[in-house]
Amino acid sequence: MKNIKMGTYIYNDEAHNFNFGTDLSIADKQKFVNSVVGLVVDDEYYNSILRDLIFDFYVVEYLTDIDTTELRESASFVNDVEQFLEETDIVEIVKVNAFPTLFDELNKCVDKAIEYRTGIHPSPLNEALASLLSTLEKKINEIDLSSAMDMVQKFAGMTGELT
């Protein structure tokens, strides 16, 4: 953790103070990504439905001083983590105060690591279509409509000359 701040969250109707970081070292970013991917992807399955939940759990694990041992060792880990995250605003507090690009960077790295481990490319068609539409929009905005209309009128006047 870098750049430590203090916050307060409510859990089970009690206020709890905690310290949290606004950034991570490169080594901690690597550990964070590996931790998320390690729980979401195993040798046989990609548990995509857990991706965001596990990501948020590791926000608490890596960016706060909150003891998550009880959650990690729980027999109903997923349910307990989900309940804990829903009943507190810890992740929101950390994200609002974090270094501006931290979570974009971590999300991209997690997605790339998942893609590498699974071979699943998240919506490349969507990205390609969005890029194509963006390019078309730029090109259309560059067209001089009055010149285009002049050219259309010239073609319209040539109808007798064309066979």
Side-chain angles (χ1 to χ4, degrees):
M1 268 190 303
K2 292 171 143 180
N3 306 321
I4 307 299
K5 291 187 173 188
M6 187 174 185
T8 303
Y9 68 95
I10 307 294
Y11 187 59
N12 292 331
D13 296 324
E14 292 181 35
H16 301 273
N17 293 326
F18 71 107
N19 294 315
F20 63 93
T22 60
D23 203 0
L24 293 171
S25 67
I26 294 293
D28 285 338
K29 288 177 185 177
Q30 179 185 14
K31 289 176 189 173
F32 179 99
V33 170
N34 290 338
S35 296
V36 173
V37 175
L39 278 181
V40 175
V41 179
D42 63 23
D43 293 338
E44 297 179 26
Y45 299 104
Y46 167 39
N47 301 302
S48 61
I49 198 164
L50 297 178
R51 192 252 189 236
D52 293 337
L53 179 77
I54 299 303
F55 186 95
D56 287 349
F57 170 73
Y58 280 115
V59 167
V60 175
E61 178 86 11
Y62 279 88
L63 285 156
T64 74
D65 65 352
I66 297 169
D67 184 6
T68 58
T69 305
E70 188 175 322
L71 289 171
R72 273 187 277 116
E73 295 176 354
S74 170
S76 54
F77 171 77
V78 172
N79 291 332
D80 291 348
V81 167
E82 181 179 33
Q83 180 183 355
F84 178 75
L85 293 175
E86 285 177 355
E87 293 180 10
T88 67
D89 57 352
I90 296 168
V91 175
E92 290 78 20
I93 292 169
V94 173
K95 286 182 176 181
V96 165
N97 289 284
F99 188 73
T101 59
L102 176 64
F103 289 103
D104 285 340
E105 178 184 10
L106 289 173
N107 273 304
K108 285 177 186 174
C109 289
V110 165
D111 290 342
K112 286 180 182 181
I114 289 171
E115 182 178 347
Y116 177 78
R117 296 254 322 255
T118 64
I120 298 171
H121 306 287
S123 61
L125 180 60
N126 291 346
E127 292 173 12
L129 288 175
S131 176
L132 174 63
L133 288 175
S134 176
T135 301
L136 286 173
E137 184 179 351
K138 288 177 188 173
K139 294 299 180 186
I140 289 171
N141 288 336
E142 293 174 4
I143 294 174
D144 179 9
L145 289 179
S146 62
S147 298
M149 289 305 293
D150 290 342
M151 188 168 64
V152 168
Q153 288 175 350
K154 287 179 186 176
F155 280 122
M158 294 175 47
T159 55
E161 300 172 23
L162 297 175
T163 58

